[in-house]
Amino acid sequence: MSTSSVPRPEPAAPSRPAGRFDLPRIVRRGIPEGAVPALALFAGVRLAGILAVILTNALRGHPLVRTLAHSWDSRWYLHIAAQGYGHKMWITPQGAVQTDWAFFPLYPALIRALTTVLPLTPGQAALLIAWLAAGVAAYGVYVIGHLLYGRGVATALVGLWAVLPHAVELTIAYTESLFAALAIWALYCVLKGRWLWAGSLAAFAGLARPSGFAVAGAVALAAGYEAWRRRGRVSWRLWAGAVLAPLGFLGYVLWVGTQVGNLFGGYFKVQSAWDSRFDFGVGAARFVKALLLHGGGVVYTVALLVVATGVLLLALLCLDRPPLVLVVFSGVLILLVLGGSGSFSSKPRFLLPAFPLLIPMARALVRTWRVRPGQAVLVYGALTLVSLFFGAYVTAVAHSPL
């Protein structure tokens, strides 16, 4: 597995010397072949998902877009955007005091900035950011797929990412699309050896979600591997990128510690009140046992299937021998899902940014398309219908935490 040197089906154009902080080449030279149809596919599927949620709300007599902008965690982000931190808490029936310090600051900061310059409500701004970020993330998925495997696999990769069971959560007022956009482009910059950009984007990802340290870890480990592979003969930009990568996550964790009065443990105390801690899989094992013995609703059953499929796809991804940074990023997210406590119904959305897990499926879909295109269309159509119906159900009908 390599980090910055990757296979490419077409001959690569000669690269020019990197400047001090050059934009990634894909931005300078325009979009790669086939990106527009792939992005149109993504936009069409996700627009259909939004319309399915709106229609479901209409059939249930609910406000049409309320569940898109005001579901579960969205309310906390909107409150932080309007009022700042330290103004909202919730005491659970078990007596735990849940505070808004559990939510990372980048998304509410962007919401507040957008409402300051545009005549938008916080909910509208939150959705606009989420939708734009989803498009940027989908473009990044295509660019990485095109770089590694060519147009066909890149298109399949974007298409599959659009029809994940929980893909609807890329287009509601949640942080998943923003985090995915930052993480995916950080991974791309690692693949192209743009270490300052990789570290900077990883730092911003660390301000978007707690799982930002998965990006930081992937960038730092890839940098270390590259330095080892080149026997230390690397640019200072590589080391600078590796140092920058964890600063967003660490900075917010330490800031919360100062607010709580416990510099290193305060953030984890705050998260513990939300039943969010790393318990090495004890909570997940208890959930699986209870589900198998007593059954559960469709949301929890699907969540278990998604997580189990993610583990299998990680094994297949490793056999595919992709660049190290993609394996580390996906592997850390799988580890967090398996080893973390909290509601199991939320775990599938934590895997949404782990698009490299879909690479084996994308390659298989392309092979099927070349031999039996009708079968490939049938499979993709079935996945799309499942995604649309389940997305509407989990967002507008189910009462399980998103």
Side-chain angles (χ1 to χ4, degrees):
M1 291 183 290
S2 63
T3 54
S4 60
S5 178
V6 296
R8 187 167 185 170
E10 302 84 12
S15 60
R16 66 181 179 84
R20 291 186 61 187
F21 205 70
D22 284 345
L23 286 171
R25 187 181 306 160
I26 196 68
V27 177
R28 299 196 311 267
R29 295 191 176 182
I31 63 177
E33 180 188 11
V36 172
L39 294 179
L41 173 63
F42 178 85
V45 172
R46 291 312 342 134
L47 177 60
I50 293 171
L51 294 177
V53 173
I54 293 174
L55 177 60
T56 305
N57 280 326
L59 293 175
R60 293 175 59 82
H62 296 162
L64 298 184
V65 297
R66 184 170 182 81
T67 52
L68 292 172
H70 298 273
S71 293
W72 297 92
D73 291 358
S74 303
R75 300 166 189 166
W76 290 83
Y77 287 118
L78 295 177
H79 191 275
I80 294 168
Q83 303 294 331
Y85 282 100
H87 297 287
K88 186 176 182 180
M89 65 176 59
W90 169 259
I91 301 177
T92 69
Q94 293 75 30
V97 180
Q98 298 175 338
T99 67
D100 52 17
W101 290 324
F103 298 89
F104 277 54
L106 183 58
Y107 189 43
L110 291 176
I111 295 171
R112 183 158 190 164
L114 204 57
T115 56
T116 301
V117 299
L118 294 176
L120 299 173
T121 66
Q124 292 168 344
L127 287 177
L128 179 58
I129 292 167
W131 293 347
L132 291 175
V136 172
Y139 180 40
V141 170
Y142 184 87
V143 168
I144 291 177
H146 190 276
L147 175 70
L148 296 177
Y149 304 106
R151 177 176 178 175
V153 173
T155 301
L157 197 57
V158 172
L160 289 172
W161 199 54
V163 298
L164 288 173
H166 288 73
V168 67
E169 292 170 28
L170 292 171
T171 45
I172 64 175
Y174 265 44
T175 56
E176 266 58 42
S177 57
L178 176 62
F179 173 73
L182 293 166
I184 289 165
W185 281 98
L187 299 179
Y188 172 79
C189 289
V190 169
L191 294 175
K192 299 300 292 181
R194 303 282 172 173
W195 295 103
L196 286 178
W197 277 103
S200 300
L201 291 169
F204 279 110
L207 290 172
R209 284 198 54 77
S211 48
F213 79 87
V215 192
V219 171
L221 191 57
Y225 176 78
E226 187 71 5
W228 173 81
R229 192 172 68 88
R230 296 177 178 270
R231 299 183 179 181
R233 294 190 290 270
V234 294
S235 168
W236 63 269
R237 296 179 182 84
L238 180 144
W239 301 115
V243 171
L244 281 171
L247 294 185
F249 173 79
L250 292 177
Y252 184 69
V253 166
L254 294 177
W255 179 81
V256 172
T258 63
Q259 304 304 302
V260 176
N262 181 350
L263 182 62
F264 297 107
Y267 167 78
F268 302 100
K269 182 179 179 181
V270 167
Q271 289 288 5
S272 181
W274 287 84
D275 193 27
S276 178
R277 65 181 70 87
F278 193 83
D279 62 1
F280 298 94
V282 174
R286 288 174 179 168
F287 163 79
V288 172
K289 180 181 178 181
L291 187 64
L292 294 177
L293 290 177
H294 309 292
V298 63
V299 173
Y300 292 97
T301 302
V302 171
L304 179 59
L305 291 174
V306 169
V307 172
T309 302
V311 174
L312 175 61
L313 290 176
L314 178 63
L316 294 176
L317 179 68
C318 292
L319 293 175
D320 202 57
R321 297 180 61 82
L324 176 65
V325 69
L326 302 184
V327 176
V328 173
F329 174 65
S330 302
V332 172
L333 290 180
I334 287 284
L335 182 63
L336 291 176
V337 165
L338 294 177
S341 60
S343 174
F344 211 92
S345 64
S346 299
K347 291 182 181 292
R349 71 177 171 90
F350 300 155
L351 292 178
L352 282 174
F355 79 95
L357 296 176
L358 299 173
I359 289 175
M361 290 181 62
R363 299 187 72 182
L365 187 62
V366 169
R367 290 193 297 268
T368 302
W369 169 263
R370 290 169 180 164
V371 179
R372 295 181 294 274
Q375 184 176 337
V377 171
L378 183 63
V379 169
Y380 189 76
L383 291 174
T384 302
L385 290 177
V386 170
S387 178
L388 297 182
F389 282 106
F390 185 75
Y393 176 77
V394 76
T395 307
V397 179
H399 298 290
S400 304
L402 294 176

